[in-house]
Amino acid sequence: RHDDPRGHRLAGLVRRLEDEQRRLSATEAHLEFQASHDALTGLPNRALLTSRLAEEVERATVQGHEIALMFIDLDDFKIVNDTLGHAAGDDLLRVIGKRIQDEMSPGDIVGRVGGDEFVVVSSNLTDRRLATRFAERVLTAVAAPVQIVHQVIEPSVSIGIALRGASSDPQVLLANADLALYKAKDSGRCCARVFDQSLRLAADERVGIE
């Protein structure tokens, strides 16, 4: 019967259970997002990016194509924090993250992995020329003036590039890009450098000397 109160109570109970299930699902999704993304920029964090990098390297190795990994580090970020404050530094990091994203192609991955350090993983940059061209676009995009608090600044980044051809080990690939970033910083900053074995040999020599 349509007017049976037991039917109404059952329908109400089902609706409440469905609402609770939706609420729990939304909470779980929110917690999962928080665990895998940077709270400041909303980009993938180190854990998620490392996992995605491993997947991309494995896929590229099986399919026999190249991928590029880039370390992108904001130049003189400490000066911004020291002179304008950490809130201003946070605003700048959000701007930089968005500008990097805007230069990316579908399927590319960008994450924030440290204080002022971003990493890009791309299967679209299949050789040194394409990777360098992308890095140049990022350098140009990042350098546009931005107003932070009441100050207009012209930010810059240094970029280290590593291609999978140098190694199919994700951790080695990260280390290679980091060495290339060190070279870019050492070359005067606001530039990009591509990893080659001479950088590894120089690093090993420095370690041996120390």
Side-chain angles (χ1 to χ4, degrees), residues 56-96:
E56 289 298 319
V57 169
E58 182 178 2
R59 183 180 299 111
T61 302
V62 171
Q63 297 177 356
H65 66 78
E66 188 63 272
I67 64 171
L69 181 137
M70 298 186 184
F71 260 121
I72 303 175
D73 187 82
L74 191 57
D75 296 328
D76 300 318
F77 181 61
K78 186 176 186 301
I79 295 176
V80 176
N81 276 337
D82 290 347
T83 58
L84 300 179
H86 288 275
D90 289 347
D91 288 343
L92 181 58
L93 288 172
R94 293 188 191 96
V95 170
I96 298 302

Side-chain angles (χ1 to χ4, degrees), residues 115-145:
D116 61 344
E117 200 164 63
F118 300 84
V119 168
V120 169
V121 181
S122 175
S123 58
N124 296 298
L125 306 174
T126 54
D127 58 38
R128 183 188 184 108
R129 178 182 56 85
L130 290 174
T132 301
R133 186 178 298 171
F134 172 81
E136 290 170 351
R137 293 204 313 269
V138 170
L139 290 169
T140 300
V142 165

Side-chain angles (χ1 to χ4, degrees), residues 1-156:
R1 294 172 51 188
H2 294 296
D3 59 349
D4 188 339
R6 291 174 298 179
H8 291 299
R9 288 197 296 272
L10 179 59
L13 176 60
V14 169
R15 283 196 297 272
R16 288 196 296 275
L17 288 173
E18 290 175 344
D19 289 344
E20 180 65 14
Q21 182 61 47
R22 282 193 291 270
R23 186 187 67 79
L24 289 173
S25 297
T27 300
E28 290 172 359
H30 179 66
L31 291 174
E32 183 178 342
F33 183 88
Q34 284 186 314
S36 59
H37 289 74
D38 172 50
L40 180 64
T41 62
L43 298 174
N45 60 17
R46 179 181 291 273
L48 178 57
L49 188 129
T50 302
S51 174
R52 294 289 302 277
L53 171 62
E55 293 172 2
E56 289 298 319
V57 169
E58 182 178 2
R59 183 180 299 111
T61 302
V62 171
Q63 297 177 356
H65 66 78
E66 188 63 272
I67 64 171
L69 181 137
M70 298 186 184
F71 260 121
I72 303 175
D73 187 82
L74 191 57
D75 296 328
D76 300 318
F77 181 61
K78 186 176 186 301
I79 295 176
V80 176
N81 276 337
D82 290 347
T83 58
L84 300 179
H86 288 275
D90 289 347
D91 288 343
L92 181 58
L93 288 172
R94 293 188 191 96
V95 170
I96 298 302
K98 178 66 167 57
R99 288 180 175 181
I100 295 170
Q101 277 187 301
D102 288 345
E103 296 303 319
M104 292 169 54
S105 301
D108 290 349
I109 308 160
V110 59
R112 180 179 174 227
V113 298
D116 61 344
E117 200 164 63
F118 300 84
V119 168
V120 169
V121 181
S122 175
S123 58
N124 296 298
L125 306 174
T126 54
D127 58 38
R128 183 188 184 108
R129 178 182 56 85
L130 290 174
T132 301
R133 186 178 298 171
F134 172 81
E136 290 170 351
R137 293 204 313 269
V138 170
L139 290 169
T140 300
V142 165
V146 56
Q147 182 168 329
I148 301 294
V149 192
H150 302 297
Q151 192 87 347
V152 176
I153 62 175
E154 296 181 0
S156 69

